[in-house]
Amino acid sequence: MTPPLRKPKSAPGSRSDFVYGGLRRAIIEQALMPGDKLTEDVIGDRFGVSRTIVRTVLARLYAEGLVDMQPNKGATIAQPSLSEAQDVFETRMCLERQVIARLAEKVTEDDMESLQRHVELETKANIHDGSAAIRLAGEFHILLASLSGNKVLARYVDEVVSRSSLILALYSRPHSSDCSINEHQQIIDALRQGDGQAAIDAMDHHLKAVADRALLSSTSDKHRDIRSILDRYAS
């Protein structure tokens, strides 16, 4: 039985943001995988919005490199090539070094508490909710960037972190999330000690470890129920 349409109680702009947030979260949590087809009618039905709103959202995700759009073929979740993946991680490392360098000069005790609380959330999610753990791992880096005080830098970090999620969905081999959590804690510890270079080194080590854990895989499931996946993000 088809579930009732969702009808967000908001103006069109807010509806667009609602759908954008749901789809983006589904991509980052790797519920939607690279290559998955995004049909306008299916998205509109699941989120209870018009095709016009869906097209606006897909264009926004396309601009961020999260969705591919081709004439007469529609939209799919982006599938970064291995070369693009290497470029993303190279760029990400440069950006996040700058984040840590800025943060080391201005980090406050409140900032440290925010970072520590976030790692605690990661630890809990790692036990109970794998999808949330994936999202929170990326959001740790976005939080660091936002605390740096440079909004432009934070925006670019947000974008490369999101693209990294696609890369890991395509190329990652199984590994323990504990690795990332421990590496995040090492970055916090170095910042708390006021050792900017140690914090930068910890970030470099962490991002290299993330990249090293990537391995080409062809085990993606081609018969995925996109409707059921979207239902989880449209409620």
Side-chain angles (χ1 to χ4, degrees):
M1 184 175 182
T2 303
L5 298 180
R6 276 81 176 176
K7 296 185 182 298
K9 297 179 181 179
S10 53
S14 296
R15 290 182 185 177
S16 177
D17 289 341
F18 172 73
V19 179
Y20 165 79
L23 288 179
R24 193 172 188 275
R25 182 179 171 190
I27 294 169
I28 291 173
E29 292 187 355
Q30 298 177 11
L32 290 173
M33 298 290 284
D36 281 347
K37 187 172 179 58
L38 298 175
T39 306
E40 291 179 5
D41 288 342
V42 171
I43 297 171
D45 175 66
R46 264 38 213 174
F47 284 89
V49 297
S50 69
R51 293 182 67 178
T52 299
I53 289 177
V54 173
R55 288 172 188 152
T56 298
V57 170
L58 292 177
R60 188 173 173 185
L61 293 169
Y62 171 75
E64 294 180 5
L66 299 180
V67 165
D68 286 334
M69 299 180 70
Q70 297 184 15
N72 303 318
K73 291 186 177 180
T76 58
I77 302 300
Q79 302 182 77
S81 68
L82 205 52
S83 176
E84 289 171 329
Q86 292 167 345
D87 289 345
V88 167
F89 273 106
E90 180 181 341
T91 302
R92 181 174 174 180
M93 187 168 290
C94 292
L95 291 172
E96 297 213 50
R97 281 175 181 160
Q98 184 62 25
V99 165
I100 296 299
R102 285 182 58 90
L103 193 54
E105 296 176 351
K106 65 180 291 296
V107 68
T108 67
E109 189 57 39
D110 286 345
D111 294 339
M112 298 306 306
E113 290 179 4
S114 294
L115 291 168
Q116 196 63 60
R117 284 196 300 270
H118 190 91
V119 167
E120 290 169 3
L121 290 175
E122 288 185 67
T123 302
K124 292 178 181 177
N126 190 42
I127 298 172
H128 303 293
D129 189 343
S131 295
I134 292 171
R135 171 174 51 80
L136 288 166
E139 288 179 355
F140 173 79
H141 295 264
I142 294 170
L143 175 59
L144 280 170
S146 68
L147 294 175
S148 75
N150 185 321
K151 293 182 179 180
V152 175
L153 186 58
R155 177 163 59 87
Y156 285 124
V157 168
D158 193 343
E159 181 174 324
V160 295
V161 166
S162 300
R163 291 195 181 193
S164 294
S165 181
L166 288 177
I167 292 164
L168 292 172
L170 263 178
Y171 300 111
S172 66
R173 60 174 180 252
H175 66 276
S176 171
S177 296
D178 293 340
C179 298
S180 293
I181 294 171
N182 290 336
E183 291 157 9
H184 288 175
Q185 187 63 56
Q186 290 168 8
I187 295 168
I188 292 174
D189 291 343
L191 287 171
R192 180 176 286 114
Q193 293 165 10
D195 192 336
Q197 187 57 54
I200 291 172
D201 291 344
M203 177 62 80
D204 281 354
H205 171 78
H206 172 48
L207 293 181
K208 286 176 182 176
V210 173
D212 288 345
R213 287 194 285 261
L215 183 67
L216 182 62
S217 173
S218 59
T219 59
S220 61
D221 183 358
K222 299 296 184 182
H223 304 286
R224 293 156 49 74
D225 187 352
I226 301 302
R227 288 176 173 81
S228 296
I229 291 170
L230 291 179
D231 282 344
R232 302 203 305 268
Y233 293 88
S235 58

